[in-house]
Amino acid sequence: MANNVEKELSKAEMELPAFNFKEVEELYEHDLTISDELYDSILHKDRKLLIEDLEKVFLHAVDKYEIFNADNVAARNTFFVWHAIFLLKDLEATETLPAILHFLKQDEELVSLYLGDGVSDFGWQIFYSLGNKQLRLLVDYCKSSPDDYTVRPEMTETLKQIALHEPERRLEIESYLRELLFYASSISIEEDSFIDDLTDKVLESIGQLSLTRLFPDVEKLFNEDKLSAIFILDWDHFENEYKRGEVDANALLRNFETRKEIYTGYLEAQEENDDDDYDSNLYDDIDDYLYRLDKNDAYEDSLEETDDEDLEEDEENKNKSYIDYKELHTPFVKKEPDVGRNDPCPCGSGKKYKKCHGKS
């Protein structure tokens, strides 16, 4: 059991760089429960020197990755990157966006160690604050980062939110979404494993914003079989979802949250989803639920295919229809404990498990 005890790293073990301000070193010793007093004291340091320190944080995180990724290192020792990002956001240090994007382009395991699922949860707010006037950098990132499945959707969400919060910029956003649409149509799944995720997000944004001038382009690209998406499969799906329906723009508008609200929400989510807290019987409960759900679905399907008079509604028929149904419609349920995060997904998609069914 001793091997499972988390180890708190000392400042010497972390091999910290020489910062202008000693307070920046404190970022390495706090998880998201960092005090407002410490945060504010750092925020009010000399802006130029502080930005210099915070950019050192990104470089240090990459350079000393092996130290922080070692077995049993306390999770609290890896939150310093988030603190640096939020401090830059609060400083409105738009000039640091290239440094942040450079960090996000590092190996996905490295980025995941420091940022976890945070980019998917509230990344758009970071990009909105630091990239609002530098959208070319965001679009170029989307076009130069194949196999990225977390950052690019948030950047596309940023474009959409700008159009919603600043309607006068719709034409600008339309031009960028059109550029991404045609980029997605030119890339194969072999070149970019997650181009379909980006395509879905771009199509969703075009449809939800009712950018009707782009609809003919969408239809043409679908008809030419140049678009690969996961949820929006063809022009009919797109047309039924967006052209014939009414989208409530107000429902799409997302509100900005303060750092404290984001930190609190993220910590609560982490507690709820902490694997160590899961009851070992939970998976059995889920399997039982899915069994009953599938059995009932199979029974309902069989009713549609069989006259009522030819089918007795009893438990025996339910079980029989379920067995027949399972042979043709087996849902993906992770039951094998030895599927690693970097192993091929058992569903046969060709993607890593963590990037496919492991995401859920």
Side-chain angles (χ1 to χ4, degrees):
M1 291 295 290
N3 291 334
N4 293 325
V5 177
E6 285 193 337
K7 175 187 176 182
E8 294 276 355
L9 293 176
S10 68
K11 293 179 180 179
E13 289 173 316
M14 289 186 275
E15 300 181 16
L16 298 182
F19 291 118
N20 295 304
F21 303 108
K22 286 292 183 181
E23 289 87 346
V24 175
E25 295 182 0
E26 302 303 312
L27 299 179
Y28 290 79
E29 300 182 354
H30 294 270
D31 59 16
L32 297 186
T33 57
I34 185 172
S35 70
D36 291 340
E37 291 76 17
L38 174 58
Y39 187 89
D40 290 340
S41 71
I42 297 174
L43 189 63
H44 289 89
K45 299 295 183 183
D46 179 86
R47 187 179 190 277
K48 182 178 179 180
L49 293 177
L50 178 56
I51 287 175
E52 181 182 303
D53 276 356
L54 297 176
E55 289 192 335
K56 283 182 183 178
V57 166
F58 297 114
L59 296 174
H60 179 250
V62 174
D63 187 44
K64 303 301 179 182
Y65 169 64
E66 296 301 329
I67 294 175
F68 295 101
N69 194 45
D71 291 341
N72 301 330
V73 168
R76 68 186 297 109
N77 289 143
T78 62
F79 280 92
F80 58 91
V81 176
W82 267 128
H83 299 315
I85 289 176
F86 274 94
L87 283 163
L88 292 171
K89 174 181 179 293
D90 289 342
L91 287 169
E92 299 181 356
T94 57
E95 66 270 34
T96 65
L97 181 62
I100 294 175
L101 297 183
H102 176 74
F103 175 82
L104 293 173
K105 279 192 174 185
Q106 301 302 309
D107 181 83
E108 62 182 273
E109 295 288 348
L110 182 151
V111 177
S112 178
L113 172 70
Y114 297 115
L115 302 184
D117 297 327
V119 175
S120 299
D121 294 333
F122 43 77
W124 75 270
Q125 298 191 49
I126 303 297
F127 302 133
Y128 195 113
S129 298
L130 299 179
N132 187 288
K133 305 301 181 183
Q134 304 179 82
L135 298 185
R136 170 47 56 194
L137 290 180
L138 303 188
V139 173
D140 286 348
Y141 180 99
C142 291
K143 295 168 64 177
S144 63
S145 303
D147 299 328
D148 179 294
Y149 69 98
T150 54
V151 179
R152 294 188 301 185
E154 287 302 295
M155 288 183 171
T156 309
E157 178 68 23
T158 301
L159 295 176
K160 183 173 73 178
Q161 290 302 318
I162 289 175
L164 293 170
H165 284 270
E166 306 172 54
E168 68 277 8
R169 299 179 66 184
R170 279 176 60 90
L171 282 178
E172 177 189 2
I173 299 304
E174 179 181 299
S175 68
Y176 284 127
L177 288 174
R178 185 177 189 275
E179 181 178 339
L180 288 176
L181 175 69
F182 279 92
Y183 165 75
S185 73
S186 69
I187 302 297
S188 68
I189 198 76
E190 290 75 26
E191 298 173 288
D192 185 338
S193 300
F194 292 95
I195 192 62
D196 46 6
D197 292 79
L198 178 62
T199 304
D200 260 325
K201 192 65 180 180
V202 171
L203 289 171
E204 175 190 82
S205 298
I206 291 172
Q208 290 179 338
L209 292 173
S210 298
L211 301 178
T212 55
R213 295 199 306 178
L214 298 184
F215 285 14
D217 292 326
V218 173
E219 181 177 15
K220 183 175 184 292
L221 291 172
F222 265 128
N223 290 338
E224 293 176 353
D225 199 25
K226 291 183 177 180
L227 291 177
S228 172
I230 298 175
F231 302 110
I232 305 174
L233 302 179
D234 50 37
W235 168 248
D236 287 340
H237 282 79
F238 182 90
E239 185 177 37
N240 289 333
E241 183 72 21
Y242 301 115
K243 189 173 182 179
R244 297 178 182 175
E246 293 184 0
V247 179
D248 182 3
N250 290 328
L252 303 174
L253 194 68
R254 297 172 67 175
N255 296 322
F256 294 98
E257 297 177 280
T258 65
R259 175 192 62 88
K260 193 168 184 177
E261 289 172 334
I262 290 174
Y263 278 13
T264 300
Y266 190 67
L267 283 170
E268 290 174 351
Q270 286 293 92
E271 290 177 3
E272 292 175 3
N273 293 294
D274 188 349
D275 290 339
D276 293 336
D277 293 338
Y278 282 168
D279 187 332
S280 61
N281 296 320
L282 178 60
Y283 294 108
D284 294 334
D285 294 339
I286 292 175
D287 284 346
D288 179 64
Y289 171 75
L290 290 173
Y291 172 85
R292 289 184 283 103
L293 184 65
D294 282 343
K295 186 167 70 172
N296 287 330
D297 285 347
Y299 182 57
E300 294 297 328
D301 289 348
S302 68
L303 284 178
E304 296 179 2
E305 300 171 1
T306 309
D307 292 336
D308 291 343
E309 62 185 6
D310 295 330
L311 181 65
E312 295 182 6
E313 297 180 290
D314 56 26
E315 190 64 26
E316 180 180 351
N317 279 330
K318 276 193 176 186
N319 287 326
K320 181 179 183 303
S321 64
Y322 172 69
I323 293 172
D324 294 339
Y325 178 84
K326 285 283 284 186
E327 292 179 355
L328 296 175
H329 305 84
T330 303
F332 177 85
V333 180
K334 184 180 183 300
K335 296 183 180 180
E336 297 297 329
D338 58 349
V339 179
R341 293 180 70 248
N342 291 308
D343 292 341
C345 188
C347 76
S349 67
K351 301 176 181 179
K352 291 181 181 180
Y353 173 68
K354 66 185 177 184
K355 291 186 176 180
C356 193
H357 285 87
K359 292 168 66 175
S360 60

